[in-house]
């Protein structure tokens, strides 16, 4: 059970709504504050009198706002998500599809790599001592900075399209999976492993009957982190490809053409994609844990 | 596979066999191979001694250190050979057999140092450093062997030595980039973001209603690609470091908020009952129990944020910068196919990221020495 | 039977006390109609199966829970006032020591809260650590000590506020029997030396009978008192007293009381 579910059971709906509402109120207020200097300039240039109500209204409806108001973003979303056919290059669904496919591929590759490395680390002590410190170090370096280079280098040897972008996602994904799986595979109490030994279970049997099932809760916790990272990786990987497609490309072209509403819309779609992927893993987790625990409510 | 690596004799035997094979095959084209008999002779001598020492194993620890030294010199010689004009880009089977033999030797020595730990020698700290360090050296050496031996084009993947030259040759530029990105954007942003997140967590703790609302929102934010606000920040705060610092503030805020809230909730009922039973005030309980219990969580957030902060600042630079900064350097040099410089920037970023992380880890060890993950049992 | 504490003043006075928890399955009667007077210098054990409310009763005395009906007075005042006056020391099931404080600083914790001068804090910490035979371990961290030593530190901490009343909630429950016997003997010595009033929760019959002046037998659902059994043994008793017929007789009566409460039938 995720933290969020638990909180909702404890009656967090009202507080969450309050926080969300205050964010929207602050957003509207911020949009007046940030857009007003330009507007006041314009009023003064044209020698117009203005009231605060007029200012607020104009700020929320500005053509090229510094901070678009929530409903402007909403209209942009409707325009680019619902009104356009999904196949159109101007549809955010089309771009979200591109980002989603490369992040999913990267996520799958990263999860497999992570699980494989974790098994190696748990079973081969030399790997544990030689590789583990570097796996940790690999994440202290800003790997996203490699994105442009990986795209260009792989492109120059003829590998383009989905795969180079997925490599970035994969690199971001494998780390939480390794760490979580190592912890998970090591989580069975020594007494349980001894018990398996008394049954003279083989190493494979211990792995599939004890270590693997014990690691499932850890695996899912890591997968949730990893899937969110895979979207980040895909978006950043789309930056250097400039305008070919994907939410990252939308962010970049929005920033080139000063279309701030477009950036916000792309950002919100990216958040939705990411949050629904995390939610999906959460559902899978609940199903898996329910099956594992024989119908009992999942923990943690 | 497990049994192969478990059995030291087989591992040594395989390594020695590969060595013998390596001596039988030419490492490069026949005619160039003839020009370097002396160096190869040296390698063969070292290899022979190495194999002998590996097999004898009279005094395990001395043998291990001797093996390590011999291995390092063998690597050194091998690197020299691969850089010979006649070998560069024309490596043949013999060279790769030789490299694989070295690989086995590295594995063997790492294994030796790893298994030493079981009898808890006083040198275990040294061993803890030796094993990963050797792995790192081997990784770089292998990279060098492959790029140089196969003659991989520099635009594709420059060798570590070329990157090293590039770093040495452009210290000024790299220093300026470091100053722009790390000193001016990352550090202030990191401090502000963490402080704000911590303060918000304190407020959420003081007013539980706020906490119940903020925590789910904070968790939701952790699932969204917050890096996407970078272009917006660049539009708001301009091309200079302020926009990058703003991205860093926003990226570091939520991990600190969420972790600190859970940390402040991590005190056990019995610890809180104790404080109540001795009539402690809210503030006394907070300061003496709940805050210390939250510290490991706070450090966890700081460590997560150290990586996020650097990523945030560099990626934000992709959306526009003055003509200085690590992100700017990477994206422009990629455009000019000057890969040595790209890798040099990445190396600087990697080293600063690791140092940043290392400092935090040291501070964590000092501040939360009592935590189960650091304790040395009685 | 008469006890030499019969004429002492009453320290804890419990009248018709009840406590109900509301859970999702409806109300739970944790304590029902409890009447108990504890006099100064007594050593009272609360014994019963899990769920009988013995810990809850102790927590009500300590103002860690609030009763829903009846009345309870500690030295004539409410538990909340008694708590603020630091009238009691509480020893928990687990040592509840803070891992970031040394043994000495753990014992000093309640004294810091009380705002005692630093020199007094240190003097008292040294004195009570000596009383539990832990001199020389002041600068160790709790996690460097064994379980029994940790529990002794927590006893020293409870004593350090110099309360007349000591509340102990299964303090030795997690320890092995040899350590437990040893600590029981030490606790008895301590009680004899200091003359404190002790309320002691346990589920061990020999422990209760060995330590106490009176054993209070409780039963669950609802938590109530079934029997109060006086144990009049020699003040200087040692662990050997457990082999005597008189001891076995009292232990038998406690066991009968526990049986009468149907305590194990529906557990």
């Amino acid at each position: 059970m995720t933290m969020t579910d638990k909180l909702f059971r404890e009656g967090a709906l009202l507080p969450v709504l309050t926080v969300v509402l205050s964010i929207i109120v602050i957003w509207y207020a911020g949009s007046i504050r940030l857009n007003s200097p330009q507007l006041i300039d314009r009023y003064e240039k044209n020698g117009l009198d203005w009231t605060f109500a007029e200012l607020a209204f104009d700020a929320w409806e500005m053509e090229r706002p510094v901070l678009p108001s929530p409903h402007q973003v909403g209209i942009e979303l409707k325009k680019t998500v619902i009104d356009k056919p999904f196949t159109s290059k101007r549809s955010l669904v089309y771009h979200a599809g591109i980002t989603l496919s490369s992040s999913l591929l990267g996520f799958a590759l990263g999860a497999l790599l992570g699980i494989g490395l974790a098994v190696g680390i748990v079973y081969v002590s030399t790997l544990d001592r030689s590789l583990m410190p570097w796996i940790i170090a690999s994440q202290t370096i800003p790997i996203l900075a490699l994105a442009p280079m990986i795209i260009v280098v792989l492109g120059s040897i003829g590998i383009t399209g989905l795969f180079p972008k997925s490599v970035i996602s994969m690199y971001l994904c494998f780390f939480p999976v390794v760490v979580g799986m190592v912890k998970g595979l090591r989580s069975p109490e020594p007494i349980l492993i001894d018990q398996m030994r008394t049954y003279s279970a083989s190493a494979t049997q211990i792995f599939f009957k004890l270590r693997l099932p014990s690691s499932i809760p850890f695996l899912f916790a890591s997968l949730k982190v990893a899937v969110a990272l895979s979207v980040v990786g895909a978006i950043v990987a789309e930056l250097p490809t400039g305008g070919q497609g994907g939410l990252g490309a939308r962010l970049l072209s929005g920033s080139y053409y000063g279309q701030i509403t477009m950036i916000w819309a792309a950002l919100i779609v990216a958040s939705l994609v990411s949050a629904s992927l995390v939610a999906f893993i959460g559902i899978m987790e609940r199903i898996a844990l329910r099956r594992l625990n024989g119908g009992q409510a999942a923990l943690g | 596979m497990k049994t192969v690596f478990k059995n030291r004799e087989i591992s040594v035997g395989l390594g020695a066999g590969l060595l013998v094979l390596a001596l039988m095959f030419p490492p490069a084209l026949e005619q160039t191979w003839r020009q370097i008999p002396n160096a190869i002779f040296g390698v063969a001598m070292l290899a022979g001694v190495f194999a002998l020492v590996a097999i004898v194993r009279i005094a395990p620890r001395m043998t291990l250190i001797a093996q390590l030294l011999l291995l390092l010199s063998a690597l050194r010689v091998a690197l020299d050979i691969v850089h010979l004009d006649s070998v560069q880009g024309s490596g043949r089977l013999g060279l790769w057999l030789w490299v694989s033999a070295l690989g086995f030797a590295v594995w063997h020595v790492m294994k030796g140092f790893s298994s030493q730990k079981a009898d808890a020698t006083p040198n275990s700290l040294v061993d803890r450093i030796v094993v990963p360090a050797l792995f790192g050296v081997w990784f770089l050496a292998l990279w060098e062997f492959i790029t140089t031996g196969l003659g991989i084009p520099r635009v594709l993947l420059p060798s570590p030595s070329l990157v090293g030259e590039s770093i040495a040759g452009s210290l000024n530029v790299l220093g300026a980039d470091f100053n722009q990105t790390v000193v001016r954007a990352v550090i202030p942003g990191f401090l502000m973001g963490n402080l704000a997140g911590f303060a918000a967590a304190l407020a959420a703790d003081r007013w539980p209603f706020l906490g119940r609302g903020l925590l789910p929102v904070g968790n939701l934010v952790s699932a969204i690609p917050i890096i996407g606000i970078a272009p917006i920040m660049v539009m708001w705060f301009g091309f200079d470091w302020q926009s990058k610092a703003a991205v860093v503030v926003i990226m570091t805020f939520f991990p600190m908020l969420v972790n600190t809230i859970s940390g402040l909730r991590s005190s056990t009922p019995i610890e809180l009952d104790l404080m109540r039973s001795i009539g402690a005030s809210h503030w006394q309980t907070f300061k003496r129990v709940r805050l210390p219990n939250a510290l490991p969580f706070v450090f966890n957030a700081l460590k997560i944020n150290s990586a996020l902060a650097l990523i945030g600042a560099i990626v934000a630079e992709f959306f526009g910068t003055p003509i200085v900064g690590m992100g700017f350097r990477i994206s422009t040099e990629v455009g000019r196919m000057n890969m040595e410089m790209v890798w040099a920037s990445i190396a600087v970023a990697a080293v600063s990221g690791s140092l940043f992380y290392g400092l935090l880890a040291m501070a964590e060890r000092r501040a939360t020495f009592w935590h189960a993950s650091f304790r040395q049992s009685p | 039977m008469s006890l030499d504490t019969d004429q002492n003043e009453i320290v804890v006075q419990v009248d018709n006390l009840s406590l109900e928890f509301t859970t999702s399955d409806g109300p739970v009667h944790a304590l029902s109609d409890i009447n108990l007077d504890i006099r100064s210098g007594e050593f009272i054990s609360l014994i019963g199966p899990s769920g009988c409310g013995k810990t809850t009763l102790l927590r009500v005395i300590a103002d860690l829970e609030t009763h829903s009906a009846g009345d309870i007075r500690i030295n004539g005042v409410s538990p909340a006032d008694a708590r603020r006056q630091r009238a009691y020391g509480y020893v928990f099931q687990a040592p509840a020591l803070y891992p970031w404080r040394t043994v000495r600083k753990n014992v000093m914790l309640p004294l810091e809260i009380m705002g005692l001068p630093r020199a007094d804090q240190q003097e008292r910490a040294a004195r009570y650590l000596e009383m539990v035979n832990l001199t020389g371990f002041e600068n160790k961290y709790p996690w460097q000590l064994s379980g029994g030593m940790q529990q002794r530190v927590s006893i020293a901490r409870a004593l350090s506020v110099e309360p007349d009343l000591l509340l102990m909630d299964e303090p030795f429950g997690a320890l092995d029997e040899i350590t437990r016997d040893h600590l029981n003997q030490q606790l008895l010595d301590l009680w004899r030396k200091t003359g404190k009033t002790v309320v002691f929760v346990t589920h061990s019959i020999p422990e209760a009978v060995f330590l106490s002046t009176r054993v209070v037998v409780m039963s669950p659902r609802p938590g109530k008192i079934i029997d109060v059994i006086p144990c009049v043994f020699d003040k200087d008793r040692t662990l050997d007293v457990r082999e005597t017929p008189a001891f076995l007789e009292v232990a038998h009566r406690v066991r009968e009381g526990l049986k009468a409460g149907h305590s194990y039938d529906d557990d």
Side-chain angles (χ1 to χ4, degrees), chain C residues 41-102:
Chain C
E42 277 200 286
F43 196 121
I44 300 289
S45 281
L46 307 177
I47 192 168
S50 43
C52 72
K54 54 192 190 297
T55 295
T56 311
L57 178 56
L58 198 71
R59 290 172 64 86
V60 172
I61 298 174
D63 188 40
L64 296 175
E65 306 279 357
T66 313
H67 55 284
S68 34
D71 192 29
I72 177 165
R73 298 269 132 190
I74 316 292
N75 299 326
V77 300
S78 73
D81 288 338
R83 178 170 66 83
R84 281 190 279 272
Q85 294 162 7
R86 280 104 187 173
Y88 65 81
Y90 199 108
V91 181
F92 292 86
Q93 277 173 345
L97 301 171
Y98 297 118
W100 52 86
R101 287 175 163 255
T102 60

Side-chain angles (χ1 to χ4, degrees), chain A residues 12-120:
Chain A
L13 199 58
L14 186 67
V16 170
L17 282 179
T18 314
V19 167
V20 169
L21 264 175
S22 19
I23 289 174
I24 292 176
V25 169
I26 292 169
W27 189 340
Y28 271 112
S31 127
I32 300 177
R33 174 77 192 77
L34 286 168
N35 297 341
S36 60
Q38 279 186 41
L39 284 172
I40 293 170
D41 269 5
R42 201 186 301 162
Y43 292 145
E44 278 169 0
K45 221 178 273 166
N46 300 340
L48 291 169
D49 281 337
W50 53 277
T51 61
F52 183 75
E54 280 169 0
L55 178 73
F57 185 77
D58 285 345
W60 293 337
E61 296 299 339
M62 226 173 132
E63 192 76 12
R64 278 173 167 262
V66 178
L67 175 59
S69 52
H71 66 264
Q72 281 181 309
V73 177
I75 291 166
E76 171 79 14
L77 275 173
K78 182 176 175 294
K79 221 163 61 188
T80 49
V81 174
I82 299 170
D83 294 352
K84 294 269 184 314
F86 292 169
T87 47
S88 158
K89 276 216 153 194
R90 309 193 66 177
S91 161
L92 272 181
V93 179
Y94 165 80
H95 292 284
I98 294 177
T99 304
L100 184 67
S101 49
S102 69
S103 55
L104 281 182
L105 178 61
F107 171 68
L109 292 174
L112 286 178
L113 177 66
I115 293 171
L117 281 174
V119 172

Side-chain angles (χ1 to χ4, degrees), chain B residues 89-120:
Chain B
S90 60
R92 289 289 158 91
L93 182 63
L95 177 70
W96 302 120
L97 285 170
W98 167 234
V99 168
S100 330
L102 280 172
F104 265 97
V106 168
W107 178 263
H108 174 75
V109 172
M110 287 196 309
K111 215 172 145 52
F113 275 98
S114 309
S115 50
Q116 282 267 312
K117 197 196 164 199
D119 36 275

Side-chain angles (χ1 to χ4, degrees), chain B residues 8-88:
Chain B
R8 203 181 252 210
E9 278 70 20
I10 296 178
S11 164
V12 172
L14 258 172
L18 284 166
L19 266 176
V20 172
L21 279 174
L23 291 174
M24 282 160 57
F25 288 92
L29 288 174
E30 195 74 23
Q31 62 271 35
T32 58
W33 157 249
R34 293 290 168 219
Q35 294 162 10
I36 46 166
N38 289 336
I40 289 298
F41 183 71
V43 177
M45 287 279 288
L46 281 172
V49 177
F50 170 62
L52 264 180
V53 175
I55 292 161
V56 174
R57 305 201 319 253
I58 317 160
R61 185 148 194 96
M62 278 318 293
T63 316
L64 265 178
I65 292 167
Q67 281 176 12
L68 179 65
L69 295 176
L70 282 167
L71 180 61
L72 289 178
S73 43
L75 271 178
R76 178 83 193 83
V77 174
L79 285 171
D80 281 348
I81 291 175
V82 85
H83 274 111
L84 289 172
D85 285 342
S86 47
V87 182
Q88 272 189 40

Side-chain angles (χ1 to χ4, degrees), chain C residues 72-190:
Chain C
I72 177 165
R73 298 269 132 190
I74 316 292
N75 299 326
V77 300
S78 73
D81 288 338
R83 178 170 66 83
R84 281 190 279 272
Q85 294 162 7
R86 280 104 187 173
Y88 65 81
Y90 199 108
V91 181
F92 292 86
Q93 277 173 345
L97 301 171
Y98 297 118
W100 52 86
R101 287 175 163 255
T102 60
V103 164
R104 176 191 287 119
K105 301 248 323 169
N106 262 292
V107 176
M108 281 159 58
L109 176 72
L111 312 176
E112 281 173 27
I113 303 291
M114 290 163 67
L116 245 58
R118 189 136 186 99
D120 289 5
Q121 293 178 20
Q122 301 215 339
E123 182 273 322
R124 278 204 204 179
R127 184 145 46 92
Y128 288 103
L129 280 171
E130 192 195 341
M131 197 173 279
V132 295
N133 291 331
L134 278 176
T135 305
F137 291 92
E138 294 89 343
N139 293 323
K140 293 260 189 244
Y141 286 91
W143 32 274
Q144 295 171 315
L145 305 183
S146 69
M149 287 160 99
Q150 290 183 16
Q151 198 55 285
R152 268 144 66 196
V153 176
S154 87
I155 292 172
R157 179 180 58 194
L159 291 172
S160 71
V161 298
E162 306 194 330
D164 292 326
L165 176 61
L166 202 55
L167 306 176
M168 305 178 88
D169 181 10
E170 293 186 38
F172 310 136
L175 304 178
D176 66 86
E177 191 152 355
I178 299 165
T179 315
R180 179 191 269 232
D181 279 352
H182 179 66
L183 290 181
N184 277 342
Q185 186 72 64
Q186 279 193 327
L187 178 61
L188 200 62
D189 291 344
L190 199 88

Side-chain angles (χ1 to χ4, degrees), chain A residues 3-4 7-8 10-12 14-16 18-20 23 34 66-68 123-127 129-131 133-134 136-137 139-149 152-154 156-157 172 203 228-229 231-232 235-236 239 248 251-252 254-260 263-264 267 270-272 274-275 278, chain B residues 1-2 5 107 110-111 113-117 124 127-129 131-133 135-137 155-157 208-217 219-220 222-229 231-232 235-236 262 265 306-307 310-311 314-315 318-319 330-331 334 337 339 342-343 346 349-355 357:
Chain A
M3 185 78 106
T4 329
L7 280 158
F8 272 106
E10 287 161 17
L14 186 67
V16 170
T18 314
V19 167
V20 169
I23 289 174
L34 286 168
V66 178
L67 175 59
Y123 276 94
V124 184
S125 70
T126 311
L127 273 186
R129 304 202 57 215
S130 60
L131 200 54
W134 290 102
I136 293 169
Q139 300 300 309
T140 66
I141 72 172
I143 202 61
L144 283 178
L146 288 169
M149 198 191 54
V152 169
V153 164
L154 288 180
S156 75
I157 54 171
L172 287 177
L229 284 174
V231 178
V232 174
I235 288 175
V236 174
L239 297 179
L251 288 179
L252 200 65
S255 111
Y256 277 161
Y257 304 122
Q259 288 290 341
I260 214 157
I263 300 179
W264 279 102
L267 196 54
S271 308
L272 288 177
S274 184
V278 174
Chain B
M1 157 143 164
K2 203 182 150 204
F5 289 126
W107 178 263
M110 287 196 309
K111 215 172 145 52
F113 275 98
S114 309
S115 50
Q116 282 267 312
K117 197 196 164 199
S124 62
D127 294 355
R128 270 212 296 277
I129 296 165
V131 178
F135 186 88
V137 167
V155 285
L156 224 52
L157 186 65
F209 184 82
L210 186 63
R212 284 209 300 279
L214 268 181
L215 198 58
V217 173
N219 278 323
L220 185 71
S222 74
I224 71 175
I226 205 159
I227 191 105
I229 49 118
I232 296 167
M235 284 178 147
W236 284 3
S262 350
R265 289 181 182 173
S306 71
L310 215 48
I311 286 177
I314 289 178
V315 172
F318 294 166
F319 289 97
I330 291 169
S331 49
V334 164
M337 285 297 186
M339 288 302 168
V342 176
W343 279 101
I346 289 168
V351 169
S352 22
S354 304
L355 278 181
Y357 186 92

